[in-house]
Amino acid sequence: MRIRVKICGITRLEDAMAAVDHGADALGFVFWSQSERYISPEDAGQIVRYLPPFVQAVGVFVNPDKPWVKMASAAAGLDMLQFHGDETPDFCGQFSLPYIKAVRVRRGLDLLQYAQHYEGSKGLLLDTYTKGKPGGTGHTFDWKLIPSELSLPWILSGGLNSENIVDAIQQTHPLAIDVSSGVEIDSGIKDVNKISAFMEGVRSCEDV
Ligand SMILES: O=C(O)c1ccccc1NCC(=O)[C@H](O)[C@H](O)COP(=O)(O)O
């Protein structure tokens, strides 16, 4: 089965094009001002307008207010929303766009219940818990904490790179994966060779 890939934290057109050329299905734009990968919705829009059909633009938010999500969605031309904070299902579901809820996986968190709570989402993005960092940590989490029977589709995220991606896929069998710092040379600056090596690792795991 083909594994879908989202490359997150895009801040430059050339990185977006490199990601698309190497087969990314979705690109993420971080609209949280405290992130080193922050991009304004207007600047994201200038990248999104060059994306080919069927590549999705995903807006990443952390506890935003409603006007910010609405403005960013329109200005950037988003296809999907991704929430990394304490947003409720009602909040996430009010924007007439599909959404993904990120969850920072840690021992003691009931992922089965979490999935039921966010049943209106397109899926859960399973990310790494690091205190004070809602995303883009560059660290993996204990993949054994992923339950075998989650009621929602889920996306493997957190600290993936070309060196661990094959192992990650073989251990967890994800439907989709998400990467940010693992394909960077600096925060928000992607590297075409890292993208290429990462995608090669993903494709090597797919059924022919
Ligand atoms: O990337 C960020 O700076 C970020 C900040 C705040 C919330 C979310 C953020 N990124 C969202 C993503 O989808 C990342 O790809 C995901 O957290 C994995 O990041 P990484 O471990 O660097 O691959």
Side-chain angles (χ1 to χ4, degrees), residues 6 8 32 35 37 60 82 84 127 135-136 138 157-159 178 180-181:
K6 169 174 156 272
C8 199
W32 183 56
S35 170
R37 302 178 184 89
V60 176
Q82 179 176 319
H84 274 253
D127 206 349
S157 184
D178 168 277
S180 183
S181 50

Side-chain angles (χ1 to χ4, degrees), residues 47-75:
I47 297 175
V48 171
R49 62 201 284 256
Y50 291 106
L51 298 183
F54 309 128
V55 174
Q56 297 213 302
V58 182
V60 176
F61 300 89
V62 182
N63 295 324
D65 61 20
K66 184 175 168 180
W68 177 242
V69 179
K70 287 184 110 172
M71 189 284 284
S73 304

Side-chain angles (χ1 to χ4, degrees), residues 6-9 28-32 34-38 58 60-62 82-85 102 125-128 133-140 156-161 178-184 187-188 190:
K6 169 174 156 272
I7 298 189
C8 199
F29 300 91
V30 180
F31 299 132
W32 183 56
Q34 292 172 55
S35 170
E36 298 151 327
R37 302 178 184 89
Y38 173 78
V58 182
V60 176
F61 300 89
V62 182
Q82 179 176 319
F83 293 104
H84 274 253
L125 183 133
L126 306 183
D127 206 349
T128 302
K133 268 208 153 190
T137 66
H139 297 295
T140 55
L156 184 67
S157 184
L160 300 175
N161 55 50
D178 168 277
V179 62
S180 183
S181 50
V183 293
E184 287 180 343
S187 295
K190 307 305 186 205

Side-chain angles (χ1 to χ4, degrees), residues 108-199:
L109 178 81
D110 187 342
L111 273 176
L112 299 179
Q113 203 178 58
Y114 202 94
Q116 275 168 9
H117 195 51
Y118 288 95
E119 64 179 1
S121 76
K122 271 282 174 190
L124 296 182
L125 183 133
L126 306 183
D127 206 349
T128 302
Y129 179 82
T130 298
K131 200 165 185 281
K133 268 208 153 190
T137 66
H139 297 295
T140 55
F141 64 90
D142 182 356
W143 300 324
K144 293 195 189 72
L145 294 175
I146 304 172
S148 52
E149 71 299 347
L150 266 183
S151 60
L152 283 175
W154 52 271
I155 302 143
L156 184 67
S157 184
L160 300 175
N161 55 50
S162 63
E163 268 148 46
N164 63 18
I165 189 61
V166 170
D167 195 25
I169 292 171
Q170 286 173 350
Q171 282 195 43
T172 66
H173 306 289
L175 177 76
I177 53 186
D178 168 277
V179 62
S180 183
S181 50
V183 293
E184 287 180 343
I185 42 172
D186 206 347
S187 295
I189 309 297
K190 307 305 186 205
D191 178 73
V192 67
N193 296 317
K194 290 189 177 194
I195 291 175
S196 174
F198 186 82
M199 296 303 288

